[in-house]
Amino acid sequence: EDGTYRELNMDYPFSATGFINPIAYLNEKNRNWYSNRVMSNLSLSIKPISDLTIRIAGNIENTDYRWDRYDTRKYPNSSGAAGIEMTNTLELTSNNTISYDKTINKHSFSVMAGSTYEQYVYKPLSITGTGYIHDILESYDIGSAEVMGVPSSSYTEWRILSFLGRANYSYDGKYLATVTFRKDGSSRYSEGNKWGTFPSAALAWKMSKEEFMQDIDFISNLKLRAGYGVTGSSAIPAYSTINLLESVSAVLNKQYYTGFEPKASYPGDLKWETTAQTNVGFDLGLFDNRIQLVADYYVKNTTDLLNNVQLPTSSGYTTTIKNIGKMQNKGFEFQVDAFIIDHKDFKWNVSSNISFNRNKVVELSGGKDISGTWYSLTWMGDYVNLIREGQPFGIFYGYKEAGYNDSGKILYWNQAGEKVIKSGLTEEDRTYIGNPNPDFTYSVNSTTSYKNFSLSFYLQGVQGNEIMCLSTGSANYDYGWGLNNFKEVLYDHWTPQNTDAKYPVISSTNTYAISDRFVYDGSYIRLKNIELGYSIPTTKLGISWISKGQVYISGQNLLTITDYPWSDPDVNSRGGATSVNQGIDHFSYPTAKSMTVGIRFDF
């Protein structure tokens, strides 16, 4: 009421960021983003002779980005804080090919050769300041700050040059063959390892065109396929193979000095990560292709697997990237498309797929386990994921619980089969406690129309994966900060009268280990999208200037069926697809539900 904001006053110890005033956070923190992007494309196609085509194409994309932020003097404990971040990104690509296509009687073939080039340049700049006598200019007079932060800037550049070739052959549309070849060179790799060679070949037999298949009326199409190919990955940061220095500042004898020290990441002598895949499958069409089935079996062997590896602090570094070993993925994929009803007024099409994948770490450098990132949270400090020979990639590795002791503290099983509290555990007591990799994934897409009405929906599902929910640990087990907990903590915590409780005794001295307590089934099925539409009969209404019109209402992520207790089972907070850290949920923002009402017109 008096125009000031006050922080919460609690009788519990808390950090400066432990509690915030949400109204002040909304009103007194200003954030503005600006982006200018210029994209330029040029392509040229030349046919000097019949069947020969030369294509030259280039693309330049330049992006200038700026982020201004300012915390006003009205924000609690703030004297005014400003910051500006600017980046310039330049991306260059060039694709140049020459191709020749020819058909002679029943023989058709085509050959192509070419080169591609990619270059990426990234230049960021950041400056901050605190302590302002007024809020009028915000970040637009950053030099008027009482205390200026140390400006920072950097430069990143990488390049990839590739040479490629492809040859296709077909005889009478029944026998098909393809051979491809790539040679890629990346600036990110070590000297002597910058180039990788990646060949592939595929064969197909369209059996439905053979004479002996012509009397089988219900088979419209049948094609058998087999292929083998090698691909490479250069998904590592630039300069990962170079011993980089970074600037540091220090005060010696009352003088301010700037020097350089090695960066925290140790450079690795890296090679291309390569994946060799063998694939066999078939395409089947039935009843004039009203039912179509695609089935594949694959085996993918990845060698020289690239991954971050944590180092002991005694080495002077924290992490490095290594070619850590070999991994195998194999499985089945099936897709069915069915035109179930195809009448004039009523149509119904369904498309569905299901994938089964099994993952195994085949070999690691020196046979040594590789642990995931160490997480330092208020209620625990530990790693969650592990890479181990013979196990799936990124398994959860921790301790198994054994109930509570007489004081309501959590007990764990040690290697000798004894029940001990956390302080009695050792690294050797760890064991397998979960797998973030699903047994299978699936989806169903249905489209139905009756006269001018249409209804479509898309279902997505995952089955058999597990999630390490660090969110529950921070929300329901951290009793020392005076934060709010779920209601069930109050009604189902350990007491002498409730020794089988879900939660331990409420105490600020509780300590926890990464255990099966925090592992949950992550299976779910989700209604990703549903839409009901009505096509406006523009012709019948005599509206000639509109060729097509539709009114629709749609919903996204409206329904999710799952036993997972937190906000969203479709989550991976702490790592990408190739990271050691898989299946972790730590306060990930849930997928939004939304409803849309709209009109579409074609003029």
Side-chain angles (χ1 to χ4, degrees):
E1 293 180 357
D2 60 1
T4 62
Y5 300 95
R6 295 182 176 87
E7 292 292 358
L8 300 176
N9 183 16
M10 305 293 291
D11 293 329
Y12 298 93
F14 61 96
S15 69
T17 59
F19 304 99
I20 64 171
N21 185 307
I23 303 300
Y25 189 87
L26 290 174
N27 294 338
E28 308 304 332
K29 284 179 173 283
N30 300 325
R31 304 291 186 265
N32 295 295
W33 289 265
Y34 309 92
S35 180
N36 296 314
R37 178 176 294 179
V38 178
M39 293 177 286
S40 178
N41 301 280
L42 178 64
S43 62
L44 177 65
S45 182
I46 305 172
K47 296 193 91 172
I49 60 174
S50 177
D51 304 321
L52 182 68
T53 304
I54 300 173
R55 290 187 176 88
I56 301 172
N59 175 73
I60 300 176
E61 182 174 331
N62 186 85
T63 303
D64 291 305
Y65 172 86
R66 173 169 170 151
W67 180 42
D68 287 78
R69 59 182 176 86
Y70 185 73
D71 299 347
T72 73
R73 292 161 52 87
K74 293 181 180 180
Y75 192 80
N77 303 317
S78 171
S79 60
I84 301 173
E85 294 182 19
M86 296 184 292
T87 62
N88 172 256
T89 302
L90 178 65
E91 298 177 70
L92 303 176
T93 60
S94 175
N95 298 279
N96 309 290
T97 61
I98 180 170
S99 58
Y100 184 76
D101 300 275
K102 190 69 175 178
T103 300
I104 303 174
N105 297 325
K106 294 183 179 182
H107 303 273
S108 298
F109 62 91
S110 65
V111 294
M112 183 274 291
S115 66
T116 64
Y117 174 77
E118 296 178 58
Q119 182 178 353
Y120 177 87
V121 180
Y122 175 71
K123 294 180 287 186
L125 171 65
S126 177
I127 188 170
T128 60
T130 58
Y132 291 88
I133 62 174
H134 56 73
D135 296 326
I136 297 174
L137 295 176
E138 297 187 347
S139 62
Y140 298 103
D141 188 9
I142 199 168
S144 64
E146 181 181 346
V147 178
M148 292 295 299
V150 178
S152 65
S153 62
S154 64
Y155 181 90
T156 300
E157 180 179 0
W158 55 260
R159 305 179 185 187
I160 294 180
L161 176 63
S162 304
F163 299 97
L164 51 96
R166 182 184 68 236
N168 296 325
Y169 172 76
S170 171
Y171 176 75
D172 198 23
K174 294 188 292 186
Y175 312 109
L176 303 98
T178 300
V179 177
T180 65
F181 176 84
R182 289 186 65 97
K183 193 169 186 67
D184 298 322
S186 173
S187 63
R188 302 179 186 183
Y189 284 106
S190 309
E191 289 294 334
N193 294 319
K194 293 186 180 295
W195 289 92
T197 302
F198 311 107
S200 69
L203 299 173
W205 176 25
K206 202 162 186 179
M207 288 182 60
S208 55
K209 284 198 170 187
E210 298 288 358
E211 289 292 334
F212 62 82
M213 295 288 294
Q214 301 309 305
D215 294 332
I216 307 177
D217 297 333
F218 66 91
I219 296 181
S220 313
N221 176 55
L222 177 59
K223 181 164 71 172
L224 305 182
R225 299 174 281 102
Y228 173 82
V230 181
T231 58
S233 172
S234 60
I236 57 173
Y239 317 126
S240 296
T241 62
I242 300 175
N243 197 354
L244 296 177
L245 301 177
E246 61 181 351
S247 59
V248 293
S249 301
V251 176
L252 297 174
N253 298 323
K254 298 182 180 181
Q255 295 293 319
Y256 188 78
Y257 294 95
T258 298
F260 289 86
E261 68 178 11
K263 278 202 165 185
S265 180
Y266 184 75
D269 184 18
L270 304 177
K271 299 184 290 185
W272 279 82
E273 175 183 299
T274 58
T275 299
Q277 176 169 332
T278 302
N279 184 92
V280 293
F282 67 86
D283 305 333
L284 176 63
L286 304 173
F287 309 111
D288 292 329
N289 287 323
R290 289 187 60 178
I291 300 176
Q292 299 178 27
L293 171 65
V294 178
D296 285 279
Y297 172 74
Y298 63 89
V299 178
K300 294 195 294 186
N301 291 300
T302 301
T303 57
D304 297 319
L305 183 68
L306 289 165
N307 225 303
N308 281 307
V309 177
Q310 294 214 284
L311 298 175
T313 55
S314 58
S315 68
Y317 298 90
T318 58
T319 62
T320 186
I321 299 178
K322 286 186 177 181
N323 294 107
I324 62 172
K326 300 178 182 179
M327 182 175 66
Q328 183 183 81
N329 284 275
K330 60 182 179 180
F332 292 92
E333 295 179 347
F334 301 95
Q335 178 169 331
V336 178
D337 299 303
F339 299 86
I340 298 174
I341 300 175
D342 191 15
H343 293 301
K344 178 182 178 181
D345 293 332
F346 186 31
K347 300 180 184 296
W348 183 22
N349 304 333
V350 176
S351 177
S352 62
N353 66 70
I354 186 169
S355 300
F356 302 84
N357 183 75
R358 294 295 177 268
N359 173 288
K360 184 174 71 171
V361 178
V362 178
E363 180 182 327
L364 290 174
S365 177
K368 297 180 179 179
D369 295 342
I370 296 175
S371 59
T373 300
W374 184 277
Y375 301 115
S376 295
L377 305 178
T378 56
W379 56 279
M380 74 90 185
D382 214 334
Y383 67 89
V384 174
N385 300 95
L386 186 76
I387 303 178
R388 169 171 287 181
E389 285 187 359
Q391 293 285 349
F393 185 87
I395 59 171
F396 299 140
Y397 202 64
Y399 303 95
K400 288 195 173 181
E401 293 194 8
Y404 302 108
N405 66 8
D406 293 337
S407 302
K409 305 291 186 178
I410 298 174
L411 294 172
Y412 304 90
W413 293 107
N414 67 11
Q415 195 176 34
E418 301 166 333
K419 298 179 181 181
V420 298
I421 60 174
K422 183 191 173 186
S423 59
L425 293 172
T426 66
E427 181 70 17
E428 288 70 28
D429 298 324
R430 284 181 176 268
T431 186
Y432 168 87
I433 58 172
N435 184 1
N437 301 286
D439 294 332
F440 60 89
T441 60
Y442 58 96
S443 67
V444 178
N445 190 23
S446 172
T447 303
T448 307
S449 64
Y450 176 71
K451 293 186 177 180
N452 290 350
F453 291 92
S454 63
L455 175 66
S456 64
F457 66 83
Y458 176 65
L459 295 172
Q460 172 193 309
V462 177
Q463 185 66 36
N465 66 305
E466 291 172 305
I467 297 175
M468 175 65 71
C469 188
L470 301 183
S471 307
T472 59
S474 297
N476 288 339
Y477 293 87
D478 191 359
Y479 305 141
W481 291 79
L483 301 177
N484 206 359
N485 298 135
F486 279 15
K487 180 172 62 176
E488 63 182 24
V489 178
L490 175 62
Y491 294 121
D492 197 11
H493 66 272
W494 186 94
T495 66
Q497 296 76 33
N498 186 24
T499 57
D500 293 328
K502 180 177 180 180
Y503 294 93
V505 64
I506 295 179
S507 169
S508 61
T509 62
N510 284 350
T511 58
Y512 306 95
I514 288 296
S515 68
D516 51 358
R517 168 178 292 267
F518 305 104
V519 177
Y520 296 90
D521 181 10
S523 304
Y524 72 90
I525 180 170
R526 170 171 289 168
L527 180 62
K528 289 287 291 182
N529 188 74
I530 184 169
E531 180 178 298
L532 175 64
Y534 175 75
S535 297
I536 302 171
T538 55
T539 303
K540 291 183 179 181
L541 296 175
I543 308 175
S544 58
W545 51 279
I546 298 178
S547 60
K548 186 185 297 183
Q550 186 188 43
V551 181
Y552 68 93
I553 179 171
S554 66
Q556 293 74 43
N557 307 305
L558 297 183
L559 175 66
T560 301
I561 301 173
T562 182
D563 290 331
Y564 183 61
W566 205 249
S567 57
D568 193 345
D570 186 14
V571 64
N572 187 18
S573 301
R574 297 291 179 145
T578 60
S579 171
V580 180
N581 309 309
Q582 296 291 314
I584 298 174
D585 185 2
H586 190 221
F587 294 124
S588 296
Y589 202 81
T591 302
K593 297 180 181 180
S594 62
M595 294 286 294
T596 305
V597 178
I599 302 176
R600 301 185 182 103
F601 286 119
D602 289 350
F603 298 98

